[in-house]
């Protein structure tokens, strides 16, 4: 049995970020609404393009460049999208957990979907911007960000009228790897389908149906990343059934929609680029 609620942790993956650089550093948090911090440099050692895939998250991404520093708040994409393909740039990023929701100035969560909005237009903290973009010390950048962020996070949690409902719904979605219908969410919470749809869209910028589809894809991605090529084809049908796809063809079609490739070709790319050697978890 692949699915077991005790072991399902959907850690959002952007595998093409890793494949497009010789070293991709990652510091896992999985708390305070943050999945992990990451940093990498586009130094010209690889020609692989950076492609963002749907993950139901938003990132804050800093370009640590002495001459032209900049930063963006980037919402989830809904289809694969080429991005960040500038050489000789150092990046520091924060990837938030799927379903993290915050109140930004003049910007809703739906405004972020498939968008990259300048950091200082949303978070007017020039001091934080300058301290992070002027450094290339990963641990220092993390510390600086967390010192400022925790105050914002605690305030956001304290003032959220939907905090408990949001967490309950998110836990149900994660425990089923996205295999839950809106009607089921309504039944377990005692709210109407209409209310769940409305609240979810306001809080996360996506409908629960779309979000669940993205979580199922991300869970599939997590499984493929840990899959050995030799047993890939043996497990593919079982994996499709466990994830609630109609059949293997349905799963491949969904995967292609979100990556522009097939699971088999994706596994080959992981092997060819030596994905696990490029990913350095600290």
């Amino acid at each position: 049995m692949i699915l077991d609620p005790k072991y399902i942790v959907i850690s959002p993956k952007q595998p093409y970020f890793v494949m497009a650089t010789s070293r991709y550093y990652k510091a896992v948090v999985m708390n305070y609404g943050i999945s992990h911090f990451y940093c990498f440099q586009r130094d010209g050692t690889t020609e692989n393009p950076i492609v963002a895939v749907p993950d139901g998250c938003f990132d804050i991404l800093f370009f640590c460049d002495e001459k032209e520093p900049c930063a963006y708040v980037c919402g989830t994409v809904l289809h694969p999208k080429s991005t960040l393909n500038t050489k000789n740039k150092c990046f520091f990023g924060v990837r938030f957990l799927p379903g993290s929701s915050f109140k930004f100035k003049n910007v809703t969560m739906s405004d972020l979907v498939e968008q990259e909005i300048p950091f200082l237009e949303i978070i007017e903290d020039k001091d934080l911007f300058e301290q992070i973009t002027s450094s290339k010390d990963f641990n220092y950048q993390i510390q600086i960000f967390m010192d400022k962020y925790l105050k914002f996070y605690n305030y956001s949690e304290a003032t959220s009228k939907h905090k408990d409902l949001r967490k309950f719904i998110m836990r149900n979605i994660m425990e089923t790897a996205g295999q839950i219908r809106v009607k089921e969410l309504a039944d377990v919470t005692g709210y109407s389908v209409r209310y769940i749809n409305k609240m979810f869209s306001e809080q996360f910028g996506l409908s629960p149906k779309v979000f669940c589809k993205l979580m199922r894809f991300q869970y599939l991605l997590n499984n493929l990343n840990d899959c050995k090529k030799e047993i890939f084809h043996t497990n593919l049908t079982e994996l499709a059934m466990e994830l609630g796809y109609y059949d293997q063809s349905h799963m491949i079609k969904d995967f292609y929609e979100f990556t522009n490739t097939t699971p088999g070709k994706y596994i080959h790319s992981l092997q060819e680029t030596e994905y696990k050697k490029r990913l350095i978890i600290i």
Side-chain angles (χ1 to χ4, degrees):
M1 185 73 173
I2 296 172
L3 293 178
D4 185 333
K6 291 182 294 184
Y7 299 109
I8 291 180
V9 178
I10 298 180
S11 174
K13 296 282 190 296
Q14 289 293 342
Y16 295 104
F17 282 36
V18 180
M19 294 183 202
T21 183
S22 56
R23 293 289 184 273
Y24 180 97
Y25 296 89
K26 176 179 177 180
V28 178
V29 180
M30 299 300 286
N31 201 354
Y32 309 112
I34 294 174
S35 169
H36 58 273
F37 293 95
Y38 57 93
C39 73
F40 62 93
Q41 182 174 357
R42 289 287 283 165
D43 55 11
T45 57
T46 175
E47 295 301 320
N48 294 326
I50 296 181
V51 177
V53 297
D55 61 6
C57 305
F58 71 93
D59 287 29
I60 299 179
L61 190 61
F62 296 86
F63 295 59
C64 305
D65 184 79
E66 295 177 2
K67 296 180 179 179
E68 298 180 90
C70 57
Y72 294 91
V73 180
C74 310
T76 184
V77 296
L78 300 179
H79 303 281
K81 179 183 177 182
S82 180
T83 186
L84 307 176
N85 289 302
T86 303
K87 293 182 181 179
N88 301 317
K89 298 285 186 181
C90 293
F91 299 93
F92 169 77
V94 188
R95 182 157 303 135
F96 292 83
L97 286 167
S100 292
S101 174
F102 299 107
K103 292 181 180 178
F104 295 112
K105 184 178 180 180
N106 301 323
V107 172
T108 66
M109 294 304 294
S110 60
D111 292 331
L112 288 178
V113 176
E114 296 200 297
Q115 299 298 318
E116 298 174 1
I117 302 177
F119 173 82
L120 292 175
E121 288 184 13
I122 301 177
I123 304 169
E124 297 175 341
D125 193 331
K126 194 171 183 180
D127 183 53
L128 176 62
F129 171 82
E130 290 178 346
Q131 287 189 71
I132 289 181
T133 56
S134 63
S135 174
K136 293 181 182 177
D137 183 326
F138 190 32
N139 289 321
Y140 172 78
Q141 290 169 317
I142 292 172
Q143 180 183 341
I144 291 297
F145 185 88
M146 288 300 291
D147 286 347
K148 294 286 186 85
Y149 168 76
L150 283 177
K151 296 175 185 177
F152 174 76
Y153 172 80
N154 290 331
Y155 174 78
S156 181
E157 287 291 284
T159 57
S160 173
K161 65 178 181 178
H162 294 298
K163 179 179 68 175
D164 293 336
L165 177 59
R166 188 183 75 219
K167 288 183 176 180
F168 183 80
I169 290 175
M170 200 55 55
R171 184 168 67 248
N172 276 269
I173 291 174
M174 294 305 173
E175 286 180 351
T176 61
Q179 292 186 67
I180 190 167
R181 298 181 183 276
V182 182
K183 178 65 166 61
E184 294 175 82
L185 291 173
D187 289 343
V188 296
T189 60
Y191 290 94
S192 68
V193 169
R194 182 179 179 182
Y195 184 82
I196 294 296
N197 274 313
K198 182 175 182 292
M199 184 280 295
F200 202 96
S201 295
E202 288 176 352
Q203 290 286 303
F204 308 121
L206 299 168
S207 72
K209 182 178 180 180
V210 169
F211 184 81
C212 284
K213 187 175 181 179
L214 300 192
M215 291 306 97
R216 182 165 63 171
F217 161 69
Q218 278 288 324
Y219 187 69
L220 171 57
L221 207 58
N222 274 262
N223 273 271
L224 294 179
N225 279 17
D226 292 333
C227 182
K228 293 181 179 179
K229 191 174 181 180
E230 304 78 51
I231 62 173
F232 166 67
H233 292 290
T234 305
N235 288 349
L236 198 58
T237 301
E238 179 188 357
L239 185 57
M241 292 177 62
E242 294 287 354
L243 287 172
Y245 291 101
Y246 299 127
D247 52 29
Q248 185 174 315
S249 296
H250 180 211
M251 184 179 74
I252 292 172
K253 181 182 177 183
D254 262 24
F255 191 82
Y256 191 89
E257 177 187 346
F258 292 141
T259 63
N260 281 339
T261 192
T262 66
K265 290 181 179 178
Y266 174 73
I267 289 284
H268 178 73
S269 295
L270 293 177
Q271 300 277 337
E272 188 176 52
T273 60
E274 297 186 304
Y275 176 87
K276 290 187 177 180
K277 289 185 179 180
R278 298 180 186 223
L279 176 61
I280 301 170
I281 298 176
I282 64 171

